[in-house]
Amino acid sequence: MTDADGADEAFTPTDPQQACFEAGIKFGSLYHQFAGTPVSPASARSLERAMSEAIENQPHCEAVRVDVLDERVRDAIDHGAGYTELTGSLMEVEMRIGYGDVAVETRMEMEDGYPLMKLVSVSEGDS
Amino acid sequence: MTDADGADEAFTPTDPQQACFEAGIKFGSLYHQFAGTPVSPASARSLERAMSEAIENQPHCEAVRVDVLDERVRDAIDHGAGYTELTGSLMEVEMRIGYGDVAVETRMEMEDGYPLMKLVSVSEGDS
Amino acid sequence: MTDADGADEAFTPTDPQQACFEAGIKFGSLYHQFAGTPVSPASARSLERAMSEAIENQPHCEAVRVDVLDERVRDAIDHGAGYTELTGSLMEVEMRIGYGDVAVETRMEMEDGYPLMKLVSVSEGDS
Amino acid sequence: MTDADGADEAFTPTDPQQACFEAGIKFGSLYHQFAGTPVSPASARSLERAMSEAIENQPHCEAVRVDVLDERVRDAIDHGAGYTELTGSLMEVEMRIGYGDVAVETRMEMEDGYPLMKLVSVSEGDS
């Protein structure tokens, strides 16, 4: 992946690029670490908190907010099982990543019935 | 897997067998759902609670206690990363499963430097 | 959990109990390790094989067969996304566990629209 | 997160920003979906392939290469267990993401004894 003049070694992403990369890592981590977790309205609060605090451990991750949507969890539970498994359609997630001067806001929300992870803002400097 | 006289259809595990099977399911679930989660002493309490409450949702699971071992977490953190990833050597787990008349106690503990999931007791009736 | 007369130390599960516990561990591990994996008919074969070979690494696990059900995967895919996430309703699983003289067969199958992990047989000796 | 003049609604990331975000998502997904999987030299090939094909299902993901490092896997196995659990130090990963005109190359490699996910190149146009 490097050519003769070593261009590859010299590559340095811009701060906004690195910040967006970091933001994506956190989202993928959160989703695939916790998807499948047994969840009920009674256990939703502790799961929200653990997800936030776990991902906030990762570098450049300033804040994570997870809302497990009790109404949707209830709808997903039937047969008296009393619980379901966490998927993207049962939660809303917002994150703030900081890298250098750059702040990135991301959000997971439903679009056409599908959970979509998206960049909400990328801002440099003190704005 | 069934033979001509349909013996397989007729198979019914004993309550202790089913209880031990259920206990194993909970252990495997807990371990492989949460192993790899970013963890620090600061986030350990919320993770313990979420793990317990998540697995207690599963059928026949009466109680789950998870202790993330802060001292070991601290030892596993270096390079100033501030966090590590959850593995079996960083926690102790105890569970109580009930199936019919049978109560099963299980524990994950270190043995020869390896985390081992084991049956601590299988008791029937009111004992 | 141990009392003065050390009763707890003395507990040894029977081979069938331990075999059923081991069988449960494998099932919970397989399910919660791989649930959530992006899957399509094109990637289903490699996922089946990786799941089998991964869990067969675990102690006392003699054989694992995973069938990802292409028809159901196709039904779960829409919006042109081209893939879905693995859940219990998209696969069938069979396992054989051996512990001492005991062989345990397990199967995950749909029951009332829900994936259910069950003990299919527990047999001792040379049968 | 939106202010009175609806500035937030109007935000559109640049293609390089979105491409880097997508690249991060794939890395976080791959890592946290598969970390913890039981692995041995014998099962490493099927796991590599399943990881690649699973993540290549995700949007904008053009190619994923996973190398499980047999030598390190062997070193991580002891006690005759015959397997270990997948972590970042046991594999090398390269990915290519395409978004619009932008191609992003990423790599996970060891740095100071730690696995680090990094952007290797971000290039626009036909270059």
Side-chain angles (χ1 to χ4, degrees):
Chain A
M1 299 177 89
T2 349
D3 53 13
D5 60 352
D8 194 46
E9 303 296 332
F11 175 76
T12 306
T14 66
D15 279 6
Q17 288 170 355
Q18 186 68 34
C20 291
F21 183 59
E22 296 289 343
I25 291 173
K26 275 67 183 169
F27 243 119
S29 298
L30 179 142
Y31 195 91
H32 285 274
Q33 181 63 57
F34 293 103
T37 302
V39 66
S40 62
S43 72
R45 301 294 84 74
S46 64
L47 182 56
E48 290 170 347
R49 189 164 177 192
M51 292 173 76
S52 298
E53 293 189 10
I55 301 302
E56 284 173 354
N57 281 318
Q58 294 191 324
H60 313 297
C61 189
E62 295 181 352
V64 177
R65 196 167 65 79
V66 178
D67 286 301
V68 175
L69 305 168
D70 290 7
E71 214 45 64
R72 291 206 199 135
V73 169
R74 261 186 283 268
D75 288 350
I77 296 174
D78 47 1
H79 283 75
Y83 73 101
T84 187
E85 293 172 11
L86 188 69
T87 66
S89 63
L90 302 181
M91 59 178 164
E92 286 172 359
V93 181
E94 292 187 349
M95 293 189 187
R96 192 175 65 246
I97 271 70
Y99 185 88
D101 256 5
V102 181
V104 172
E105 305 267 357
T106 66
R107 188 155 56 208
M108 190 175 74
E109 57 188 16
M110 299 302 283
E111 206 161 286
D112 296 323
Y114 265 64
L116 190 70
M117 301 179 189
K118 57 194 296 184
L119 287 167
V120 172
S121 72
V122 179
S123 54
E124 281 183 88
D126 292 319
S127 65
Chain B
M1 300 175 88
T2 350
D3 51 14
D5 59 350
D8 195 45
E9 303 297 331
F11 176 76
T12 305
T14 66
D15 280 5
Q17 289 171 354
Q18 186 67 33
C20 290
F21 183 60
E22 296 290 341
I25 291 173
K26 275 67 184 170
F27 243 120
S29 298
L30 180 143
Y31 195 92
H32 286 273
Q33 181 62 57
F34 293 102
T37 302
V39 66
S40 62
S43 72
R45 300 294 84 72
S46 64
L47 182 55
E48 290 170 346
R49 188 164 177 192
M51 292 174 76
S52 297
E53 292 190 11
I55 301 302
E56 283 172 354
N57 281 318
Q58 294 190 325
H60 313 298
C61 189
E62 295 181 353
V64 177
R65 196 167 65 80
V66 178
D67 287 301
V68 175
L69 305 168
D70 289 8
E71 215 44 66
R72 290 204 199 138
V73 169
R74 261 187 284 268
D75 290 349
I77 297 173
D78 50 358
H79 284 75
Y83 73 102
T84 188
E85 293 171 12
L86 188 68
T87 66
S89 63
L90 302 180
M91 58 178 163
E92 287 172 358
V93 181
E94 292 187 348
M95 292 189 188
R96 192 176 64 247
I97 272 71
Y99 185 87
D101 255 6
V102 180
V104 172
E105 307 267 355
T106 67
R107 187 155 57 208
M108 190 175 73
E109 57 187 17
M110 300 302 283
E111 204 161 288
D112 296 322
Y114 265 65
L116 190 71
M117 301 177 190
K118 57 195 295 185
L119 288 167
V120 172
S121 71
V122 178
S123 54
E124 280 182 269
D126 290 319
S127 66
Chain C
M1 299 177 90
T2 348
D3 50 14
D5 60 352
D8 195 44
E9 303 297 330
F11 176 76
T12 305
T14 66
D15 280 6
Q17 289 171 355
Q18 185 67 34
C20 291
F21 183 60
E22 296 290 342
I25 290 172
K26 275 68 182 169
F27 243 120
S29 297
L30 179 143
Y31 194 92
H32 285 274
Q33 182 62 57
F34 294 102
T37 302
V39 66
S40 62
S43 72
R45 301 294 84 73
S46 64
L47 183 56
E48 289 169 347
R49 188 164 177 191
M51 291 173 77
S52 297
E53 292 190 11
I55 301 301
E56 284 172 355
N57 281 318
Q58 294 190 325
H60 313 297
C61 187
E62 296 181 352
V64 177
R65 196 166 65 80
V66 178
D67 287 300
V68 174
L69 305 169
D70 290 8
E71 215 45 63
R72 291 207 197 135
V73 169
R74 262 187 282 269
D75 289 348
I77 296 174
D78 48 0
H79 283 75
Y83 73 102
T84 188
E85 293 171 11
L86 188 69
T87 65
S89 62
L90 302 179
M91 59 178 164
E92 287 173 358
V93 181
E94 293 187 348
M95 293 190 186
R96 191 175 65 247
I97 272 70
Y99 186 88
D101 254 6
V102 180
V104 173
E105 306 267 356
T106 66
R107 187 153 59 208
M108 190 175 73
E109 57 187 18
M110 300 301 284
E111 205 161 288
D112 296 322
Y114 265 65
L116 189 71
M117 301 178 189
K118 56 194 297 184
L119 287 167
V120 171
S121 72
V122 178
S123 53
E124 279 182 270
D126 291 320
S127 65
Chain D
M1 299 177 88
T2 349
D3 51 15
D5 61 351
D8 194 44
E9 303 297 332
F11 176 76
T12 305
T14 67
D15 280 6
Q17 289 170 356
Q18 185 68 34
C20 291
F21 183 59
E22 296 290 342
I25 291 173
K26 274 69 182 168
F27 243 120
S29 298
L30 180 142
Y31 195 91
H32 286 274
Q33 182 62 58
F34 294 102
T37 301
V39 66
S40 62
S43 72
R45 300 295 83 72
S46 64
L47 183 56
E48 290 170 346
R49 187 162 178 194
M51 292 173 77
S52 298
E53 293 190 10
I55 301 302
E56 284 172 354
N57 281 317
Q58 294 189 325
H60 313 297
C61 188
E62 296 181 352
V64 177
R65 197 166 65 79
V66 178
D67 287 301
V68 174
L69 306 168
D70 290 6
E71 215 44 66
R72 290 206 198 136
V73 169
R74 263 187 282 269
D75 289 349
I77 296 174
D78 47 359
H79 283 76
Y83 73 102
T84 186
E85 292 172 12
L86 188 69
T87 67
S89 63
L90 302 180
M91 58 177 165
E92 287 173 358
V93 181
E94 292 186 349
M95 292 190 189
R96 192 174 67 247
I97 272 71
Y99 185 89
D101 255 6
V102 181
V104 173
E105 305 267 357
T106 65
R107 188 154 56 208
M108 190 175 73
E109 58 188 18
M110 299 302 284
E111 204 161 287
D112 297 321
Y114 265 66
L116 190 71
M117 300 176 190
K118 57 194 297 185
L119 287 166
V120 171
S121 72
V122 178
S123 54
E124 279 182 271
D126 291 319
S127 66

